[in-house]
Every structure is written in structure tokens, then in C-alpha cells.
Amino acid sequence: MKNAFLLFFLIMLSSCTEQQSRSNDWHVVLKTDRDGSILKGSKQELINAVRNGQDLKIGWGGKRETLSIEHLSVPIWLAILNEKEVMAHLDPQVLSHIDWDSLNVSYKDATKLQQEWRVVLSTKSNFDAVWYDKKADTLIRRWPQKHIMTWFTKGDSNKTSVPLFSKD
């Protein structure tokens, strides 16, 4: 009888630990193609995650014939637009140099250290990047793009939530 109780207790403990582990794992909540069509998940699930204050990461990338790059970033600012779309700003970055032959990275050109790369993106797969010179206070380049995007959350994003402007 004691062994049966111990076995039952261990099974229950294992189940709780497994459930806790799953709720702390990152999972895809939304994936869109370059046109913004949903490939996986839903925008509502992402909106719920934002409203619930869950941790979020966004991934995207590109591939040409011989080169590919993948990015993953934590947004610094999020907004829900008309309860339908999510937009995110990324932390400004000082861009590094990539030597594609050796796949080495560096800050090779020290004159560019005052230049930042800033990005705003959305669940419509819009990706607007600008290069900005902080020292000269000037916009160097703007490059609107479309990307396949994957939005990750940590925890249970199925929990429905009310708009942040609601009194509920």
C-alpha cells in the first residue's frame, strides 16, 4: 500500500513538473508569410499574450542562393492596433560587418559606430528598417521590406484577456 501511494505521489509530482516546464517554454504563437497570411497560430493568441504581459520574441530571416541569415529579437515596445494587429519596435542596434566568405563578424568600420539600425514590424509582415546617424542626427537610409515572421511567447497565451484600455 505504501508503495502504491509513493508511486501515485511521484506520478503526480512528475505531472506538475512537466506542466510547469511547458508553461515556461517558448512556443510559436503566430507565423506569417511575406504577405501577412497566417501559416501557424493566430493573431488573437498573440494579442492575448501581449495583453497578459507575456515575454515575446520575434524571428525572421532571409535566404539568397548562397547566403542566409536568421534573426531573433526581443521587442522593446509593443502596440495592439484596433484590436487586430500587433506592431513592435526593436532595440536600436549598431550594425556589425559580416565577412560572408569566412562567416566572421566584427566592427570593422569604426566610422559607422555612431550609426544605428532601427526597425518597426507588424503582424502583417511589414518590416520597416532605417539606418540613422546619431552623431549627425540624420536618416541615412530607409528600407521597407516584407518577411516571413515568427512570433514566440513564453507561457500560456490561450488565456483570453480584455483590452488594456478596458475598465474590466
Side-chain angles (χ1 to χ4, degrees), residues 21-71:
S21 174
R22 270 185 271 161
S23 68
N24 286 327
D25 290 345
W26 289 97
H27 66 278
V28 174
V29 68
L30 177 67
K31 184 170 187 165
T32 56
D33 67 11
R34 291 173 54 98
D35 297 320
S37 297
I38 296 172
L39 299 172
K40 183 177 182 180
S42 75
K43 290 181 183 180
Q44 189 57 55
E45 191 175 352
L46 175 62
I47 289 168
N48 287 338
V50 171
R51 286 178 176 160
N52 290 323
Q54 291 176 240
D55 291 335
L56 183 76
K57 292 181 184 181
I58 307 165
W60 70 96
K63 183 172 182 167
R64 289 188 252 158
E65 293 171 14
T66 59
L67 307 175
S68 68
I69 191 165
E70 297 171 75
H71 304 277

Side-chain angles (χ1 to χ4, degrees), residues 1-147:
M1 185 68 166
K2 286 182 186 179
N3 287 342
F5 176 75
L6 183 59
L7 181 60
F8 175 75
F9 178 74
L10 289 174
I11 290 170
M12 292 302 293
L13 183 61
S14 172
S15 173
C16 291
T17 304
E18 185 177 320
Q19 183 66 29
Q20 176 67 28
S21 174
R22 270 185 271 161
S23 68
N24 286 327
D25 290 345
W26 289 97
H27 66 278
V28 174
V29 68
L30 177 67
K31 184 170 187 165
T32 56
D33 67 11
R34 291 173 54 98
D35 297 320
S37 297
I38 296 172
L39 299 172
K40 183 177 182 180
S42 75
K43 290 181 183 180
Q44 189 57 55
E45 191 175 352
L46 175 62
I47 289 168
N48 287 338
V50 171
R51 286 178 176 160
N52 290 323
Q54 291 176 240
D55 291 335
L56 183 76
K57 292 181 184 181
I58 307 165
W60 70 96
K63 183 172 182 167
R64 289 188 252 158
E65 293 171 14
T66 59
L67 307 175
S68 68
I69 191 165
E70 297 171 75
H71 304 277
L72 187 64
S73 186
V74 174
I76 59 169
W77 188 82
L78 296 163
I80 300 169
L81 309 175
N82 283 339
E83 303 182 61
K84 295 179 184 175
E85 303 293 337
V86 175
M87 68 177 284
H89 286 262
L90 304 183
D91 197 16
Q93 299 293 313
V94 174
L95 289 179
S96 59
H97 169 78
I98 301 171
D99 179 333
W100 287 100
D101 292 328
S102 65
L103 297 180
N104 285 321
V105 295
S106 67
Y107 288 110
K108 181 178 179 179
D109 187 352
T111 63
K112 293 187 176 186
L113 291 177
Q114 76 273 1
Q115 294 178 7
E116 290 181 340
W117 177 73
R118 300 178 183 185
V119 174
V120 62
L121 42 85
S122 80
T123 49
K124 288 188 165 197
S125 296
N126 295 325
F127 183 99
D128 198 1
V130 296
W131 285 255
Y132 180 77
D133 188 319
K134 288 179 15 176
K135 187 174 182 181
D137 192 25
T138 57
L139 181 67
I140 299 165
R141 177 182 183 200
R142 179 174 175 240
W143 188 15
Q145 306 162 53
K146 299 289 257 177
H147 282 286

